Amino acid sequence: MKIIGTGRSHPSLVVTNDMLSQILDTSDEWITTRTGIKERRVISTENLEDLSIDAAKKALADANMDAKDLDYIICANVVNEYICPAMSCIIQGAIGATCPCFDLNGACVGFIYALEIAESFYRSGKYKNILVVCAEEPSRMVNWHDRTASVLFGDGAGAVVLTEGDNIKATKMSASCNWDRLYQKHELQYSPFNKKPNSNLPLVMHGQDVFKFATRAAIKDISHVMKETGYQPDEIKHYLIHQANLRIINNIKEYLNQPDEKFPLNIQKYGNTSSASLPILLDETNKEGRLQRGDLIVMSAFGSGFVSGACILEW
Ligand code: ACO
């Protein structure tokens, strides 16, 4: 497949580190030096579905495609206000599409999962035009009294339109179960039969373990797709890395021995927007005119599970 359109949408509320230091025992200095984040967008009055629909419409406009011509919609999402129906179905109705759709929960790796699935759908010969929307609202998951996790995340949505082509050169997905390092459980509704205690907890994160996993997994996945395609690090024009922590991105950059300008960043503005991180970064890089047709792009993401993935595509 190839990407022919990109779009993104952000909540209007900007929450700066200084605003957080008024409600938490933290500081702009701590958050900036440990993570690279200066501010993030957080849902206040909007709904995540509104951001998803907005991002989808922008990607379709960018691709110059009518929603009726879509053959499938995939939405990557960890949590939103609905447990059902799927977010993809809400998007389908709002944009006027008539195709089938489903949601996937690949944590922060949702975009790369969606690209790999779209590519195999296309190869099956059944579907040609696929809309991928990654929409995330981690502000719904974190405990805003917990300074260790709440400062890291932001909300947002990113979307791409895919059609027939030969631009996805390689994908590599990985999983290594360490679920208790980063997780959240659903609240149990009242049941007269279920005898287990309710486990309504906010997001639990062992940051240092996640940090080590993320760095190792990203390097391993990127090395895998490079080896599979035979491309050398110097031949890649852009490295789009999941915007979770600037120090993780710097470790990957050092390993690959590549210059700063190949690593677009927006973590300072948006924090970690989970699966939306990569399509938001891709759209920003695209709209800034930094992508030329033929450029080789590596994308890499990692998240709760642990799961990780990387891909190489030609723009
Ligand atoms: N402000 C001030 N101090 C803080 C804060 C905060 N927001 N959070 C923690 N601290 C304190 C800790 O309590 C600790 O204090 P102590 O030394 O008195 O015990 C000190 O800062 C150092 O804490 P560490 O956890 O050792 O700090 P570290 O350098 O590891 O940075 C961080 C923490 C930023 C969370 C880092 O581990 C990290 O980024 N990990 C990866 C997290 C991540 O990317 N998660 C999501 C990835 S997957 C996905 O996207 C869903």
Side-chain angles (χ1 to χ4, degrees), residues 24-27 30-31 34-35 107-108 147-149 151-153 182 205-211 214 242 244-245 247-248 272 274 302-304:
L24 292 166
D25 179 15
T26 190
S27 64
W30 192 96
I31 302 171
R34 302 277 175 144
T35 71
C108 303
R147 66 180 183 172
T148 62
V151 304
L152 303 175
F153 295 97
L182 178 56
M205 187 184 70
H206 297 271
Q208 292 193 358
D209 293 341
V210 178
F211 192 102
H242 174 40
N245 187 315
R247 290 186 294 143
I248 296 176
N272 177 350
S274 189
F302 34 81
S304 169

Side-chain angles (χ1 to χ4, degrees), residues 11-190:
S12 54
L13 180 67
V14 177
V15 176
T16 63
N17 292 345
D18 287 334
M19 286 161 78
L20 288 181
S21 64
Q22 284 163 23
I23 54 169
L24 292 166
D25 179 15
T26 190
S27 64
D28 175 50
E29 201 267 332
W30 192 96
I31 302 171
T32 305
T33 52
R34 302 277 175 144
T35 71
I37 301 165
K38 298 296 284 182
E39 58 190 42
R40 69 287 293 139
R41 301 291 186 96
V42 177
I43 283 181
S44 54
T45 53
E46 308 90 344
N47 293 311
L48 187 61
E49 56 267 33
D50 301 331
L51 302 182
S52 314
I53 294 160
D54 186 38
K57 285 182 175 168
K58 286 173 177 162
L60 282 166
D62 192 37
N64 204 12
M65 185 181 287
D66 193 297
K68 297 251 174 330
D69 294 326
L70 289 171
D71 298 314
Y72 228 105
I73 300 171
I74 304 172
C75 178
N77 170 255
V78 175
V79 72
N80 67 81
E81 69 184 303
Y82 296 95
I83 288 178
C84 63
M87 178 71 92
S88 53
C89 208
I90 297 175
I91 298 168
Q92 190 249 28
I95 63 174
T98 51
C99 60
C101 55
F102 72 90
D103 283 12
L104 73 85
N105 178 349
C108 303
V109 192
F111 184 56
I112 300 182
Y113 275 100
L115 288 183
E116 179 167 86
I117 293 167
E119 174 75 1
S120 42
F121 272 13
Y122 171 62
R123 283 176 188 273
S124 77
K126 238 177 133 181
Y127 307 113
K128 197 173 105 176
N129 301 325
I130 300 180
L131 170 69
V132 173
V133 184
C134 300
E136 301 287 6
E137 191 178 359
S139 68
R140 187 179 278 280
M141 302 165 69
V142 296
N143 173 357
W144 285 95
H145 297 298
D146 172 13
R147 66 180 183 172
T148 62
S150 58
V151 304
L152 303 175
F153 295 97
D155 304 326
V160 300
V161 176
L162 296 151
T163 193
E164 59 190 331
D166 183 26
N167 294 27
I168 296 180
K169 302 300 179 192
T171 53
K172 167 67 181 164
M173 309 305 303
S174 310
S176 124
C177 180
N178 279 281
W179 68 268
D180 64 344
R181 303 291 84 191
L182 178 56
Y183 70 95
Q184 182 171 20
K185 294 187 177 183
H186 272 301
E187 187 174 6
L188 182 67
Q189 299 300 314
Y190 165 72

